[in-house]
Tab-separated table of all heavy atoms in Angstrom:
chain	number	residue	atom	x	y	z
A	1	ALA	N	-4.611	-0.967	-16.272
A	1	ALA	CA	-3.155	-1.089	-16.136
A	1	ALA	C	-2.817	-2.037	-14.994
A	1	ALA	O	-1.892	-2.851	-15.105
A	1	ALA	CB	-2.529	0.283	-15.902
A	2	GLY	N	-3.562	-1.961	-13.893
A	2	GLY	CA	-3.356	-2.866	-12.763
A	2	GLY	C	-3.606	-4.316	-13.122
A	2	GLY	O	-2.880	-5.212	-12.692
A	3	VAL	N	-4.625	-4.563	-13.936
A	3	VAL	CA	-4.894	-5.925	-14.412
A	3	VAL	C	-3.744	-6.401	-15.290
A	3	VAL	O	-3.213	-7.502	-15.105
A	3	VAL	CB	-6.238	-6.010	-15.167
A	3	VAL	CG1	-6.399	-7.349	-15.868
A	3	VAL	CG2	-7.414	-5.781	-14.219
A	4	ALA	N	-3.345	-5.577	-16.266
A	4	ALA	CA	-2.263	-5.961	-17.190
A	4	ALA	C	-0.950	-6.198	-16.447
A	4	ALA	O	-0.168	-7.072	-16.826
A	4	ALA	CB	-2.073	-4.891	-18.263
A	5	ALA	N	-0.714	-5.449	-15.368
A	5	ALA	CA	0.523	-5.582	-14.599
A	5	ALA	C	0.477	-6.730	-13.598
A	5	ALA	O	1.471	-7.023	-12.953
A	5	ALA	CB	0.815	-4.273	-13.860
A	6	GLY	N	-0.691	-7.389	-13.479
A	6	GLY	CA	-0.818	-8.494	-12.542
A	6	GLY	C	-1.049	-8.058	-11.102
A	6	GLY	O	-0.938	-8.861	-10.182
A	7	LYS	N	-1.389	-6.799	-10.892
A	7	LYS	CA	-1.632	-6.274	-9.547
A	7	LYS	C	-3.070	-6.486	-9.097
A	7	LYS	O	-3.357	-6.502	-7.907
A	7	LYS	CB	-1.318	-4.769	-9.488
A	7	LYS	CG	0.078	-4.413	-9.927
A	7	LYS	CD	1.085	-4.913	-8.932
A	7	LYS	CE	2.488	-4.481	-9.329
A	7	LYS	NZ	3.491	-5.120	-8.496
A	8	ILE	N	-3.980	-6.568	-10.052
A	8	ILE	CA	-5.408	-6.756	-9.802
A	8	ILE	C	-5.832	-7.990	-10.596
A	8	ILE	O	-5.444	-8.135	-11.753
A	8	ILE	CB	-6.221	-5.528	-10.273
A	8	ILE	CG1	-5.758	-4.258	-9.566
A	8	ILE	CG2	-7.702	-5.753	-10.068
A	8	ILE	CD1	-6.348	-2.982	-10.157
A	9	ASP	N	-6.624	-8.865	-9.997
A	9	ASP	CA	-7.049	-10.079	-10.702
A	9	ASP	C	-8.213	-9.823	-11.648
A	9	ASP	O	-8.328	-10.484	-12.680
A	9	ASP	CB	-7.418	-11.166	-9.688
A	9	ASP	CG	-6.220	-11.552	-8.845
A	9	ASP	OD1	-5.219	-12.011	-9.421
A	9	ASP	OD2	-6.267	-11.360	-7.608
A	10	ALA	N	-9.080	-8.866	-11.303
A	10	ALA	CA	-10.205	-8.538	-12.186
A	10	ALA	C	-10.656	-7.114	-11.915
A	10	ALA	O	-10.524	-6.599	-10.802
A	10	ALA	CB	-11.367	-9.498	-11.981
A	11	LEU	N	-11.191	-6.485	-12.962
A	11	LEU	CA	-11.766	-5.142	-12.888
A	11	LEU	C	-13.164	-5.213	-13.468
A	11	LEU	O	-13.349	-5.709	-14.581
A	11	LEU	CB	-10.915	-4.149	-13.686
A	11	LEU	CG	-11.494	-2.743	-13.841
A	11	LEU	CD1	-11.566	-2.029	-12.485
A	11	LEU	CD2	-10.669	-1.935	-14.833
A	12	ILE	N	-14.124	-4.703	-12.729
A	12	ILE	CA	-15.518	-4.668	-13.180
A	12	ILE	C	-15.894	-3.206	-13.374
A	12	ILE	O	-15.830	-2.413	-12.437
A	12	ILE	CB	-16.442	-5.319	-12.139
A	12	ILE	CG1	-16.030	-6.777	-11.932
A	12	ILE	CG2	-17.901	-5.192	-12.558
A	12	ILE	CD1	-16.482	-7.364	-10.625
A	13	GLN	N	-16.253	-2.862	-14.605
A	13	GLN	CA	-16.623	-1.489	-14.916
A	13	GLN	C	-18.023	-1.462	-15.507
A	13	GLN	O	-18.307	-2.168	-16.468
A	13	GLN	CB	-15.647	-0.885	-15.939
A	13	GLN	CG	-14.348	-0.441	-15.362
A	13	GLN	CD	-14.457	0.880	-14.602
A	13	GLN	OE1	-15.523	1.448	-14.405
A	13	GLN	NE2	-13.336	1.358	-14.151
A	14	PRO	N	-18.910	-0.645	-14.950
A	14	PRO	CA	-20.199	-0.431	-15.600
A	14	PRO	C	-19.984	0.386	-16.873
A	14	PRO	O	-18.843	0.682	-17.231
A	14	PRO	CB	-20.992	0.341	-14.548
A	14	PRO	CG	-19.969	1.002	-13.720
A	14	PRO	CD	-18.745	0.124	-13.740
A	15	ALA	N	-21.030	0.762	-17.539
A	15	ALA	CA	-20.932	1.439	-18.836
A	15	ALA	C	-19.938	2.591	-18.806
A	15	ALA	O	-19.984	3.450	-17.935
A	15	ALA	CB	-22.306	1.928	-19.273
A	16	GLN	N	-19.025	2.564	-19.768
A	16	GLN	CA	-17.967	3.554	-19.900
A	16	GLN	C	-17.973	4.142	-21.306
A	16	GLN	O	-18.542	3.573	-22.225
A	16	GLN	CB	-16.601	2.900	-19.657
A	16	GLN	CG	-16.431	2.305	-18.285
A	16	GLN	CD	-16.373	3.359	-17.210
A	16	GLN	OE1	-15.459	4.160	-17.166
A	16	GLN	NE2	-17.367	3.372	-16.335
A	17	CYS	N	-17.292	5.265	-21.461
A	17	CYS	CA	-17.055	5.832	-22.784
A	17	CYS	C	-15.827	5.139	-23.374
A	17	CYS	O	-14.998	4.608	-22.638
A	17	CYS	CB	-16.816	7.331	-22.677
A	17	CYS	SG	-18.307	8.245	-22.196
A	18	PRO	N	-15.696	5.125	-24.692
A	18	PRO	CA	-14.584	4.379	-25.298
A	18	PRO	C	-13.202	4.856	-24.856
A	18	PRO	O	-12.287	4.049	-24.743
A	18	PRO	CB	-14.787	4.557	-26.803
A	18	PRO	CG	-15.760	5.661	-26.968
A	18	PRO	CD	-16.551	5.750	-25.707
A	19	TRP	N	-13.034	6.139	-24.589
A	19	TRP	CA	-11.709	6.612	-24.187
A	19	TRP	C	-11.311	6.091	-22.808
A	19	TRP	O	-10.153	6.101	-22.449
A	19	TRP	CB	-11.614	8.129	-24.236
A	19	TRP	CG	-12.711	8.839	-23.507
A	19	TRP	CD1	-12.795	9.067	-22.155
A	19	TRP	CD2	-13.882	9.383	-24.087
A	19	TRP	NE1	-13.958	9.733	-21.862
A	19	TRP	CE2	-14.653	9.942	-23.037
A	19	TRP	CE3	-14.377	9.467	-25.394
A	19	TRP	CZ2	-15.874	10.578	-23.248
A	19	TRP	CZ3	-15.589	10.092	-25.586
A	19	TRP	CH2	-16.323	10.633	-24.531
A	20	ASP	N	-12.274	5.592	-22.040
A	20	ASP	CA	-11.961	5.032	-20.728
A	20	ASP	C	-11.272	3.665	-20.834
A	20	ASP	O	-10.480	3.311	-19.970
A	20	ASP	CB	-13.240	4.874	-19.893
A	20	ASP	CG	-13.852	6.207	-19.518
A	20	ASP	OD1	-13.094	7.105	-19.113
A	20	ASP	OD2	-15.084	6.344	-19.622
A	21	TRP	N	-11.605	2.897	-21.865
A	21	TRP	CA	-11.090	1.526	-21.966
A	21	TRP	C	-10.239	1.245	-23.198
A	21	TRP	O	-9.526	0.249	-23.244
A	21	TRP	CB	-12.240	0.508	-21.917
A	21	TRP	CG	-13.344	0.732	-22.915
A	21	TRP	CD1	-14.530	1.362	-22.679
A	21	TRP	CD2	-13.385	0.329	-24.282
A	21	TRP	NE1	-15.291	1.391	-23.824
A	21	TRP	CE2	-14.622	0.760	-24.823
A	21	TRP	CE3	-12.489	-0.344	-25.116
A	21	TRP	CZ2	-14.984	0.530	-26.140
A	21	TRP	CZ3	-12.853	-0.572	-26.437
A	21	TRP	CH2	-14.093	-0.132	-26.933
A	22	PHE	N	-10.280	2.107	-24.199
A	22	PHE	CA	-9.664	1.795	-25.487
A	22	PHE	C	-8.165	1.529	-25.392
A	22	PHE	O	-7.653	0.579	-25.978
A	22	PHE	CB	-9.954	2.922	-26.487
A	22	PHE	CG	-9.583	2.582	-27.890
A	22	PHE	CD1	-10.413	1.777	-28.652
A	22	PHE	CD2	-8.415	3.054	-28.460
A	22	PHE	CE1	-10.083	1.458	-29.961
A	22	PHE	CE2	-8.078	2.739	-29.761
A	22	PHE	CZ	-8.913	1.926	-30.508
A	23	ALA	N	-7.424	2.324	-24.652
A	23	ALA	CA	-5.969	2.140	-24.552
A	23	ALA	C	-5.596	0.953	-23.670
A	23	ALA	O	-4.580	0.298	-23.898
A	23	ALA	CB	-5.311	3.407	-24.018
A	24	GLY	N	-6.410	0.653	-22.672
A	24	GLY	CA	-6.106	-0.448	-21.762
A	24	GLY	C	-6.457	-1.814	-22.309
A	24	GLY	O	-5.865	-2.821	-21.901
A	25	LEU	N	-7.407	-1.889	-23.234
A	25	LEU	CA	-7.832	-3.164	-23.809
A	25	LEU	C	-6.664	-3.960	-24.386
A	25	LEU	O	-6.460	-5.122	-24.006
A	25	LEU	CB	-8.923	-2.932	-24.867
A	25	LEU	CG	-9.328	-4.115	-25.731
A	25	LEU	CD1	-9.969	-5.208	-24.898
A	25	LEU	CD2	-10.267	-3.656	-26.839
A	26	PRO	N	-5.838	-3.394	-25.276
A	26	PRO	CA	-4.736	-4.200	-25.823
A	26	PRO	C	-3.684	-4.564	-24.780
A	26	PRO	O	-3.039	-5.607	-24.891
A	26	PRO	CB	-4.147	-3.323	-26.935
A	26	PRO	CG	-4.635	-1.950	-26.676
A	26	PRO	CD	-5.910	-2.073	-25.915
A	27	LEU	N	-3.503	-3.738	-23.748
A	27	LEU	CA	-2.553	-4.074	-22.687
A	27	LEU	C	-2.994	-5.340	-21.955
A	27	LEU	O	-2.202	-6.258	-21.728
A	27	LEU	CB	-2.399	-2.929	-21.693
A	27	LEU	CG	-1.662	-1.692	-22.166
A	27	LEU	CD1	-1.750	-0.589	-21.129
A	27	LEU	CD2	-0.218	-2.011	-22.499
A	28	VAL	N	-4.266	-5.380	-21.575
A	28	VAL	CA	-4.788	-6.556	-20.863
A	28	VAL	C	-4.679	-7.790	-21.742
A	28	VAL	O	-4.212	-8.849	-21.301
A	28	VAL	CB	-6.245	-6.326	-20.404
A	28	VAL	CG1	-6.864	-7.614	-19.873
A	28	VAL	CG2	-6.301	-5.243	-19.337
A	29	GLU	N	-5.087	-7.683	-22.994
A	29	GLU	CA	-5.042	-8.847	-23.889
A	29	GLU	C	-3.602	-9.292	-24.154
A	29	GLU	O	-3.320	-10.487	-24.156
A	29	GLU	CB	-5.784	-8.534	-25.184
A	29	GLU	CG	-7.282	-8.409	-24.969
A	29	GLU	CD	-8.050	-8.009	-26.212
A	29	GLU	OE1	-7.443	-7.439	-27.159
A	29	GLU	OE2	-9.266	-8.262	-26.242
A	30	GLU	N	-2.697	-8.360	-24.369
A	30	GLU	CA	-1.300	-8.707	-24.630
A	30	GLU	C	-0.642	-9.343	-23.408
A	30	GLU	O	0.256	-10.163	-23.536
A	30	GLU	CB	-0.514	-7.463	-25.070
A	30	GLU	CG	0.905	-7.725	-25.461
A	30	GLU	CD	1.079	-8.611	-26.693
A	30	GLU	OE1	0.172	-8.669	-27.552
A	30	GLU	OE2	2.142	-9.253	-26.801
A	31	ALA	N	-1.131	-9.006	-22.217
A	31	ALA	CA	-0.584	-9.568	-20.978
A	31	ALA	C	-1.246	-10.904	-20.618
A	31	ALA	O	-0.973	-11.452	-19.555
A	31	ALA	CB	-0.745	-8.573	-19.834
A	32	GLY	N	-2.098	-11.422	-21.507
A	32	GLY	CA	-2.711	-12.732	-21.277
A	32	GLY	C	-4.083	-12.695	-20.652
A	32	GLY	O	-4.628	-13.731	-20.263
A	33	GLY	N	-4.684	-11.526	-20.567
A	33	GLY	CA	-5.996	-11.397	-19.951
A	33	GLY	C	-7.129	-11.379	-20.962
A	33	GLY	O	-6.917	-11.469	-22.168
């Protein structure tokens, strides 16, 4: 959410479960990331 909102320039995440990233993925992409 911080990346999509322009508050964070990059987020590095080691291996995650799908529920950790699934909802945020389209937000980042829709915001130009």
Side-chain angles (χ1 to χ4, degrees):
V3 170
K7 304 291 183 189
I8 301 170
D9 298 300
L11 173 66
I12 300 158
Q13 281 284 5
Q16 299 291 295
C17 291
W19 51 81
D20 293 316
W21 54 262
F22 191 79
L25 170 65
L27 289 173
V28 171
E29 291 176 339
E30 184 64 25

